[in-house]
Amino acid sequence: MPALHPDVQALLAMLRAADAQPLESLPPEAARRSYLAGRRALQPPPDEVAQIRDLAAPSPAGPVPLRLYRGEGTAPEARLPCLVYLHGGGWVLGNIDSHDWVCRRLANLTRACVISVDYRLAPEHPFPAAVEDAATALAFVAERAEGLGVDETRLAVGGDSAGGNLAAVLALMGRDGTLPQTALQVLLYPAVDLTQTSEGYERIVAGQPLTASTMRYFVDHYVPQARDRTDWRASPARAASLAGTAPALVLTCGHDPLCEEARAYAHRLEREGVPVTALHLSDQTHGILTMSRLVRTSATILSFVAENLRERWSLGAEGGRGGR
């Protein structure tokens, strides 16, 4: 296995020194508190952005909380391209606040709009609740685009880890006409096959922020019925076809139990005719985008993601439609 980046080595040393309990050893509420505290400790101060608005998308299961960010330097009247962002955390952890830094940075780097989705979490709300909320959010953004200051012809979906899973599912739904088609699917170290049969589950068993046992904890809470784990809405890699989905940006990290399944997903997208940009970081680990105080590569990755979004949206130097 390739050596770890020095920043990741320092991160792991800090986690060992803290003697933190593995997430899978904690009940969900305690794991959530630990995860959120970790994100606050491991992220820099938040960027200033032009605007933040807390919103709610109505749904039969209750309102889905959203947070809208407009990048610094964008005009108030501009109809901006928009990334609908789904946070990571194994469908059990995380919320809008845990990924606030990431969304602010992406809004500023793209000089566009990012809308973060606070979907329902397991085990209180198992599969397919998170999928339903993510779909509700994307449909809401498309339908209310003018009032939100969003250009509905330039939408993207994205997320990290569990959020990458949900983004891949939304891209399939967009292909099938259930949801709006998007310009890009941004899949950042995504979980795409919840049958947990890839090589990474044998390779990454200890010593990393995410291990095989942590993933089993998440999947057991999110999809407690094993028969549901082959449903493409839980495991997009199990979809009969990936052809016709949005162009994809897929990030993988070598020291991650999800690495092999995500790389295989990128290869399959390419084989089935989907344009793919695949970025593999052999010396990095899972979750680095929310550990950017220590892992400097995180900022570089977000810049790379932003440039891919801008290219797909065909943005000029001055931002969105109607911008200064």
Side-chain angles (χ1 to χ4, degrees), residues 21 117 121 250 253 275 319:
Q21 290 180 271
V117 184
L121 299 177
V250 184
C253 296

Side-chain angles (χ1 to χ4, degrees), residues 30-85:
R32 288 168 189 156
R33 290 192 296 270
S34 175
Y35 179 81
L36 187 55
R39 303 291 75 71
R40 288 171 176 157
L42 293 170
Q43 296 185 57
D47 295 349
E48 292 294 330
V49 294
Q51 184 188 37
I52 293 178
R53 293 170 60 190
D54 286 327
L55 308 164
S59 81
V64 179
L66 311 173
R67 183 172 293 167
L68 179 151
Y69 304 82
R70 290 173 69 89
E72 198 169 38
T74 58
E77 70 277 9
R79 296 279 295 277
L80 300 177
C82 181
L83 168 66
V84 176
Y85 193 87

Side-chain angles (χ1 to χ4, degrees), residues 11 30 33 37 41 47 65 89 102 117 128 138 149 166 227 254 264 275-276 308 320 323:
L11 168 70
R33 290 192 296 270
D47 295 349
V102 171
V117 184
L138 179 57
L166 296 171
R227 65 178 178 273
V276 176
N308 275 264

Side-chain angles (χ1 to χ4, degrees), residues 58-146:
S59 81
V64 179
L66 311 173
R67 183 172 293 167
L68 179 151
Y69 304 82
R70 290 173 69 89
E72 198 169 38
T74 58
E77 70 277 9
R79 296 279 295 277
L80 300 177
C82 181
L83 168 66
V84 176
Y85 193 87
L86 293 312
H87 67 79
W91 311 273
V92 175
L93 317 174
N95 55 28
I96 285 176
D97 290 331
S98 66
H99 285 64
D100 178 73
W101 184 87
V102 171
C103 292
R104 286 171 180 261
R105 179 59 58 93
L106 285 172
N108 282 344
L109 289 170
T110 57
R111 295 189 67 190
C113 178
V114 175
I115 296 181
S116 183
V117 184
D118 204 0
Y119 54 86
R120 287 171 290 166
L121 299 177
E124 298 89 342
H125 304 285
F127 171 82
V131 174
E132 293 169 352
D133 287 357
T136 292
L138 179 57
F140 174 83
V141 171
E143 291 165 4
R144 309 288 181 91
E146 184 173 0

Side-chain angles (χ1 to χ4, degrees), residues 163-285:
N165 168 280
L166 296 171
V169 172
L170 296 190
L172 285 162
M173 296 172 78
R175 184 271 312 273
D176 295 340
T178 309
L179 288 172
Q181 178 74 284
T182 53
L184 188 68
Q185 52 179 319
V186 179
L187 312 181
L188 306 172
Y189 36 80
V192 291
D193 189 349
L194 304 196
T195 63
Q196 305 167 79
T197 52
S198 69
E199 179 191 332
Y201 282 88
E202 299 176 2
R203 191 169 56 84
I204 307 295
V205 296
Q208 297 296 329
L210 184 76
T211 65
S213 58
T214 319
M215 274 305 300
R216 293 189 183 99
Y217 169 85
F218 288 148
V219 173
D220 286 348
H221 281 314
Y222 178 51
V223 194
Q225 299 297 321
R227 65 178 178 273
D228 291 335
R229 296 174 190 175
T230 57
D231 187 319
W232 64 268
R233 296 171 303 158
S235 297
R238 299 284 169 160
S241 170
L242 305 181
T245 58
L249 168 59
V250 184
L251 168 69
T252 53
C253 296
H255 296 262
D256 178 359
L258 305 181
C259 176
E260 283 79 10
E261 68 189 65
R263 295 188 83 181
Y265 195 73
H267 289 312
R268 185 178 163 202
L269 284 165
E270 183 178 5
R271 286 197 308 271
E272 296 187 24
V274 178
V276 176
T277 299
L279 176 62
H280 177 63
L281 305 175
S282 64
D283 61 352
Q284 297 289 336
T285 192

Side-chain angles (χ1 to χ4, degrees), residues 143-173:
E143 291 165 4
R144 309 288 181 91
E146 184 173 0
L148 297 174
V150 164
D151 180 354
E152 69 277 10
T153 68
R154 291 189 287 177
L155 297 177
V157 291
D160 60 300
S161 193
N165 168 280
L166 296 171
V169 172
L170 296 190
L172 285 162
M173 296 172 78

